[in-house]
Amino acid sequence: MQAAPNPPDFARAVQAIEDLDQMRSELAKTIDPTADITPQTMQEVCKPVGMKARQLSQDNGWQVKQVAKKYRNPDHAPQNLQETMTIAKFTQHPELLSYSQIQGDRLHYYRRINIESSCLACHGPKDNRPNFIKAKYLDDLAYDFKAGDLRGLYSVIIPSLEAAPINPE
């Protein structure tokens, strides 16, 4: 008998990622495009999203992370063929908001992250990136985006429950 993912966990994960993306969007709106972008801006806008993703992992036993083809943080690079193929799927289908699949005994859930206009202060033209980003991220690939582009994905891996017997005694 094959174990199946816990449907309430899946529903909770979907809602948690929607909440996380809403938080990201609201924080992004606080960026003043006329102000200088500083390391403090990243601490207030970008860091809380990563911290919340880690907290979701710890609180729920899920693996929650961000994955991107054009990443700034090497931890966000695709780690396997499945992640690479999933990014390609979202790139080829801009209308696709989320995608899930069972692989082995785990459920993988992916949710699109789009670039918002306020994100372009750091993710727009390569030469316009703030100097501290150029200095800190020498292998940065997360630039030359336009508003609405696919920035990356939230990736959630939900472990399954042990399979329950069909006829419990």
Side-chain angles (χ1 to χ4, degrees):
M1 184 176 353
Q2 183 177 4
N6 180 355
D9 274 355
F10 179 64
R12 271 194 6 252
V14 169
Q15 186 58 56
I17 296 304
E18 289 304 313
D19 293 346
L20 179 62
D21 193 61
Q22 182 65 36
M23 180 181 94
R24 178 198 60 80
S25 183
E26 292 300 319
L27 289 170
K29 289 176 186 173
T30 67
I31 297 172
D32 179 354
T34 63
D36 286 336
I37 304 298
T38 67
Q40 184 64 29
T41 307
M42 284 185 74
Q43 292 290 320
E44 294 171 358
V45 176
C46 303
K47 187 175 181 180
V49 176
M51 291 174 56
K52 181 66 175 176
R54 281 190 292 284
Q55 190 65 48
L56 288 170
S57 294
Q58 292 170 358
D59 291 351
N60 297 287
W62 307 329
Q63 294 176 28
V64 180
K65 65 180 185 172
Q66 295 177 57
V67 181
K69 181 178 177 181
K70 292 173 58 172
Y71 55 87
R72 178 163 287 153
N73 180 339
D75 291 341
H76 297 170
Q79 299 298 309
N80 53 50
L81 182 59
Q82 179 182 349
E83 290 179 352
T84 300
M85 290 174 56
T86 302
I87 291 170
K89 180 182 198 96
F90 277 84
T91 301
Q92 293 167 0
H93 301 281
E95 75 287 353
L96 185 62
L97 180 64
S98 64
Y99 170 74
S100 62
Q101 71 179 40
I102 294 175
Q103 185 174 33
D105 64 347
R106 304 183 303 175
L107 185 129
H108 294 245
Y109 174 70
Y110 299 96
R111 165 58 161 83
R112 168 182 295 279
I113 303 170
N114 282 337
I115 287 284
E116 298 184 32
S117 57
S118 58
C119 301
L120 297 176
C122 295
H123 293 286
K126 181 178 182 177
D127 294 339
N128 291 358
R129 294 172 300 151
N131 287 330
F132 77 92
I133 289 177
K134 293 176 190 176
K136 182 175 180 177
Y137 299 99
L138 300 178
D139 296 324
D140 182 17
L141 301 174
Y143 53 81
D144 286 341
F145 288 99
K146 293 175 180 49
D149 283 352
L150 175 67
R151 169 67 186 92
L153 307 172
Y154 299 108
S155 168
V156 183
I157 300 175
I158 304 169
S160 67
L161 295 177
E162 292 298 318
I166 293 174
N167 297 314
E169 295 180 25

